[in-house]
Each structure stands twice: as structure tokens, then as C-alpha cells.
Amino acid sequence: KLQVYANAPGQSLPAPEVLTLELITEENGPRRIPRVYLFLHEHCPCSRASVLELARQTELREDALITLVLSGPGLNIPGERSIRDLARQQLPYAVIHEDPTGDFARSLGALTSGHAVLYRHDGTLHFSGGLTPSRAHAGPCPGRDALETLTGSRGKHTTAPVFGCPL
């Protein structure tokens, strides 16, 4: 049963093919650079693997705008670092956007924690899906490939399943 759960993806909707001005938050402005949106729920243990996978992509620090979209209340488990603390430590250059209602997440097709949506510099969709190959585990997968090719990519976008808790 545990293996079935670890490999069962969450739900998602199609992401918009083009990032319009209505979908850009105040925090990240209308600059023409690649954009990475990572949607996280603080109660989802799989969020940590997604944050760490994104932090591995050091070239994106200079070449893309990274926005972490957080939903849900803070996690207060003694001895456990919150996802906010982990994100601030691992991705100090990222913009943190609060989305308590989940409206922004749904507008980009995200219904599951760990969903990433990547847009090229021209605003066209590059990737929509998970950055991990299963729940709470980093490793080779289409999401990692999409992060690695974001800044030089053209053509059709790719997708992948998302492994995490519902937003």
C-alpha cells in the first residue's frame, strides 16, 4: 500500500499556454525573463523534496525569476523546520507569494503541492508538473529536465505528474 501511495500522483489542471499580465503577481513584475512558479502547502512533507530539487538548479538564480507560492497555515512541529524557513535558506533569491485562497494556484493549473509551472522568457509555457519522480523523493524526472533546459528552450511544452498533498 505504501508503494502505491508513493507513486500515486495528485490532481492538476492544464496551465495556460501563455503567461498573461493578469497572471503575473505584483511581487514579480512584468520583466521578460524565464519564470518558475512552485506551489507549496506547508503541511505537505513532499514540499521539502521539491524545494531542494529547485535549489539544485544554481544557474536559475541569475537567469530566471523564481516565485514560491505558499498556501495553508504555518507548520508548528517542535524540532521541525517550516517549509518557509527551508525555502528562505535554500532559495533566498526567490520571491515568496502568499495565496491563502488558492486562486492564483488554480489560475496556473496547480491543485497539488509540489506543482511547478515554468514559462520561457517570451511568456510561453515550457513545463507544468512535478519536480520529483515520487512523493518526497528527489531524482531524475521530466521536471528536473525541464528546469535544466528552461533558459535555452523553444517548442512544445512538457508535463509530468505531481506528487504531493492537495492544495
Side-chain angles (χ1 to χ4, degrees):
K1 248 184 173 179
L2 188 56
Q3 180 143 7
V4 170
Y5 175 75
N7 294 307
Q11 294 183 328
S12 64
L13 298 169
E17 295 282 330
V18 176
L19 186 63
T20 62
L21 285 177
E22 295 83 39
L23 296 174
I24 296 174
T25 64
E26 291 176 20
E27 293 96 340
N28 62 33
R31 299 185 330 211
R32 288 185 50 89
I33 61 173
R35 295 170 182 272
V36 175
Y37 295 94
L38 178 59
F39 297 90
L40 303 168
H41 190 290
E42 290 195 79
H43 291 287
C44 178
C46 303
S47 296
R48 295 183 190 295
S50 296
V51 167
L52 294 174
E53 190 62 51
L54 182 54
R56 289 183 69 247
Q57 308 301 321
T58 57
E59 72 282 352
L60 290 180
R61 291 179 189 179
E62 309 276 323
D63 299 335
L65 185 83
I66 297 172
T67 303
L68 304 176
V69 183
L70 299 173
S71 65
L75 188 60
N76 295 315
I77 298 173
E80 184 80 18
R81 219 161 81 198
S82 79
I83 196 66
R84 290 171 195 269
D85 292 340
L86 179 67
R88 285 186 184 112
Q89 179 203 29
Q90 295 292 320
L91 301 162
Y93 45 86
V95 172
I96 294 181
H97 177 75
E98 303 289 336
D99 185 31
T101 63
D103 291 340
F104 184 65
R106 282 188 297 282
S107 74
L108 291 181
L111 301 176
T112 301
S113 185
H115 192 134
V117 182
L118 286 57
Y119 285 94
R120 299 178 189 102
H121 74 282
D122 65 358
T124 59
L125 184 63
H126 176 65
F127 173 80
S128 179
L131 301 181
T132 61
S134 64
R135 290 183 189 270
H137 290 87
C141 66
R144 180 186 281 182
D145 295 343
L147 286 170
E148 292 172 352
T149 60
L150 174 61
T151 57
S153 173
R154 299 202 186 293
K156 190 165 168 58
H157 72 271
T158 58
T159 61
V162 183
F163 299 96
C165 299
L167 292 171

